[in-house]
């Protein structure tokens, strides 16, 4: 029997599971959110231009994709707890290297951070699918998005504030401390591994076979495309939003505040989840992608007016936040239980792809067009995805 060893003060079994995974995910989210605005601003300072920042993110994202595709082999050879632990410790090392404020430290440190995010997030999702009943996933996903709200609403601003008012090293050292806390709390919880993915003696699974299997299932492919679109928009907001704000005449701390207020859209997730249960998540996602497209393109109208840019960036974030009520539910409800590790490793590439493709494309666009044109491109992409939402199952 699978078990989760938890502190006794949690309530029922379902509450135990939800509270455990929510608290673990909250620590992980704070760690990620703390650096999300600091790193692009730091990279711009070290590299000298937004275009080179795009090249930088393009390069480190290749590491993320390689790490993601290595997961089936690692989970096949070792227990998930060791893969999770490697990710947490890699985050400690990566944050420490980025604190050196050098190009090599930034490059290697960010690569380790991207690797850590891949390892932690994929193993976390596998634990969730093992321990949260399938019928409860539609309730757990809004909860997971809600516990992300406070870290995302506070940490992006906090990271920039610490960088500017305490020390450039401060946000990275705090991130390293968070990674250590995550590592310790994970081992305190002693989450049990699914016996089906314990160390095996047979040959490791083939990444290419997994990709073929994933692509052959339209419901999984559609879930991946929608996740790529959502994640790409947030990459645009958290990486290029602060850079756009600073280049428009706003301070770095104001740019961090815009990111935090925009991320506060996660507080509205319970409301949108409630709406989704009444009109259907398919309709809700169509509305969300459409609204995101409209307000992203509208950001163009604020050029030359710093206050208008700040307001429009925040409004577009709240429009995109509608989509977060569904989270990764299209994938979680669509994947077969017997191939969760393999399909999860492929699905998780949405995050790496969204960090790889947009900077690659944007670096080319920025050679010709100004920074604000990126929001128009992303808005048009979201409009296309709003159309594809029509093919989601009606009973999602």
């Amino acid at each position: 029997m699978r078990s989760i060893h938890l502190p006794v003060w949690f309530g029922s079994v379902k509450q135990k599971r939800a509270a455990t995974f929510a608290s673990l995910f909250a620590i992980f989210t704070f760690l990620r959110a703390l650096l999300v605005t600091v790193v692009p601003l730091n990279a711009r300072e070290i590299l000298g231009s937004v275009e080179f920042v795009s090249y930088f993110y393009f390069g480190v994202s290749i590491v993320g994709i390689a790490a993601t595709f290595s997961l089936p082999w690692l989970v096949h050879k070792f227990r998930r707890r060791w893969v999770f632990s490697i990710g947490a410790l890699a985050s400690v090392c990566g944050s420490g290297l980025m604190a050196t404020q050098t190009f090599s430290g930034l490059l290697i440190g960010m690569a380790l951070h991207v690797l850590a995010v891949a390892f932690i997030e994929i193993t976390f999702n596998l634990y969730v699918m093992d321990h949260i009943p399938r019928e409860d996933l539609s309730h757990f996903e809004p909860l997971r998005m809600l516990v992300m709200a406070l870290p995302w609403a506070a940490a992006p601003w906090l990271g920039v504030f610490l960088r500017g008012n305490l020390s450039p090293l401060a946000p990275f050292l705090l991130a390293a401390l968070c990674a250590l806390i995550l590592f310790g709390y994970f081992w305190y919880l002693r989450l049990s591994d699914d016996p089906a993915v314990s160390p095996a003696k047979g040959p490791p699974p083939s990444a290419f076979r997994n990709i073929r299997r994933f692509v052959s299932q339209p419901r999984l492919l559609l879930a991946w495309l929608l996740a790529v679109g959502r994640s790409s928009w947030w990459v645009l907001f958290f990486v290029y939003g602060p850079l756009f704000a600073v280049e428009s005449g706003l301070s770095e701390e104001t740019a961090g505040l815009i990111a935090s207020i925009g991320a506060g859209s996660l507080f509205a997730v319970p409301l949108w989840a409630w709406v989704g249960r009444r009109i259907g998540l398919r309709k809700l996602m169509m509305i969300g992608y459409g609204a995101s497209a409209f307000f992203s393109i509208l950001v163009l109208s604020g050029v030359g007016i710093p206050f208008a840019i700040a307001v429009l960036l925040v409004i577009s974030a709240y429009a995109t936040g509608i989509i977060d009520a569904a989270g990764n539910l299209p994938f979680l409800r669509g994947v077969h239980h017997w191939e969760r590790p393999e399909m999860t490793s492929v699905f998780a590439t949405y995050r790496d792809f969204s960090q790889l493709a947009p900077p690659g494309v944007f670096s080319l666009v920025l050679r010709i067009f100004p920074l604000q044109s990126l929001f128009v491109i992303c808005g048009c992409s979201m409009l296309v995805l709003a159309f594809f939402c029509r093919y989601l199952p009606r009973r999602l």
Side-chain angles (χ1 to χ4, degrees), residues 35-54:
L35 300 181
V36 73
T37 49
V38 170
V39 172
L41 292 173
N42 212 40
R44 181 176 177 271
E45 187 176 282
I46 293 173
L47 300 175
S49 73
V50 176
E51 185 180 340
F52 285 126
V53 172
S54 283

Side-chain angles (χ1 to χ4, degrees), residues 190-255:
R190 293 179 292 165
L191 297 177
S192 63
D193 285 11
D194 187 337
V197 292
S198 295
K201 297 181 180 179
S206 166
F208 294 105
R209 185 167 61 247
N210 292 339
I211 294 173
R212 288 197 299 270
R213 173 63 182 157
F214 188 96
V215 173
S216 68
Q217 301 180 67
R219 64 187 182 281
L220 300 187
L221 183 58
L222 177 58
W224 185 85
L225 288 172
L226 293 174
V228 166
R230 185 186 79 233
S231 183
S232 294
W233 193 94
W234 287 113
V235 168
L236 173 76
F237 179 76
F238 285 117
V239 175
Y240 297 92
L243 297 176
F244 185 36
V246 170
E247 292 202 352
S248 299
L250 299 170
S251 67
E252 288 191 358
E253 193 168 330
T254 302

Side-chain angles (χ1 to χ4, degrees), residues 72 80 126 129-130 134 194 196-197 205 209-220 331 334-347:
R80 293 177 189 165
L126 292 175
M129 287 188 287
D130 279 349
R134 184 185 180 90
D194 187 337
V197 292
R209 185 167 61 247
N210 292 339
I211 294 173
R212 288 197 299 270
R213 173 63 182 157
F214 188 96
V215 173
S216 68
Q217 301 180 67
R219 64 187 182 281
L220 300 187
F331 169 75
V335 65
H336 297 301
H337 68 87
W338 61 81
E339 54 183 4
R340 284 172 178 170
E342 295 80 9
M343 295 303 99
T344 300
S345 68
V346 178
F347 175 74

Side-chain angles (χ1 to χ4, degrees), residues 297-334:
I297 296 172
L298 195 63
V299 168
L300 191 66
S301 66
V303 174
I305 311 173
F307 177 76
I309 288 174
V311 172
L312 289 169
L313 284 173
V314 170
I315 291 175
S316 63
Y318 274 78
T320 307
I322 298 173
I323 308 167
D324 290 326
N328 293 328
L329 194 59
F331 169 75
L332 296 175
R333 293 290 295 271

Side-chain angles (χ1 to χ4, degrees), residues 6-80:
L6 301 172
V8 296
W9 56 80
F10 290 139
S12 67
V13 174
K14 288 185 178 181
Q15 290 173 332
K16 283 182 182 180
R17 292 171 175 173
T20 298
F21 289 115
S23 58
L24 194 65
F25 198 69
I27 300 171
F28 174 55
T29 301
F30 184 83
L31 164 63
R32 293 181 61 190
L34 187 65
L35 300 181
V36 73
T37 49
V38 170
V39 172
L41 292 173
N42 212 40
R44 181 176 177 271
E45 187 176 282
I46 293 173
L47 300 175
S49 73
V50 176
E51 185 180 340
F52 285 126
V53 172
S54 283
Y55 291 138
F56 165 73
Y57 272 90
F58 180 82
V60 297
S61 295
I62 295 175
V63 176
I65 289 182
T68 299
F69 280 117
S70 72
L71 255 294
W73 182 86
L74 288 171
V75 170
H76 183 78
K77 291 294 183 182
F78 308 101
R79 292 185 182 274
R80 293 177 189 165

Side-chain angles (χ1 to χ4, degrees), residues 264-391:
S265 61
L266 291 171
F267 284 113
V269 162
L271 170 64
W272 295 122
W274 178 83
V275 173
R277 285 192 290 270
R278 278 151 182 78
I279 68 173
L281 283 178
R282 187 179 73 154
K283 290 183 179 178
L284 182 71
M285 293 179 72
M286 291 176 65
I287 293 170
Y289 280 97
S292 176
F294 176 78
F295 287 106
S296 296
I297 296 172
L298 195 63
V299 168
L300 191 66
S301 66
V303 174
I305 311 173
F307 177 76
I309 288 174
V311 172
L312 289 169
L313 284 173
V314 170
I315 291 175
S316 63
Y318 274 78
T320 307
I322 298 173
I323 308 167
D324 290 326
N328 293 328
L329 194 59
F331 169 75
L332 296 175
R333 293 290 295 271
V335 65
H336 297 301
H337 68 87
W338 61 81
E339 54 183 4
R340 284 172 178 170
E342 295 80 9
M343 295 303 99
T344 300
S345 68
V346 178
F347 175 74
T349 60
Y350 82 83
R351 180 197 58 252
D352 305 300
F353 187 84
S354 65
Q355 293 176 344
L356 177 68
V361 173
F362 294 164
S363 61
L364 298 176
V365 172
L366 290 172
R367 286 175 172 268
I368 306 172
F369 300 103
L371 185 56
Q372 59 266 26
S373 62
L374 305 184
F375 291 87
V376 177
I377 293 172
C378 203
C380 292
S381 301
M382 298 296 272
L383 190 61
V384 172
L385 292 175
F387 173 80
F388 279 119
C389 286
R390 298 172 54 206
Y391 299 102

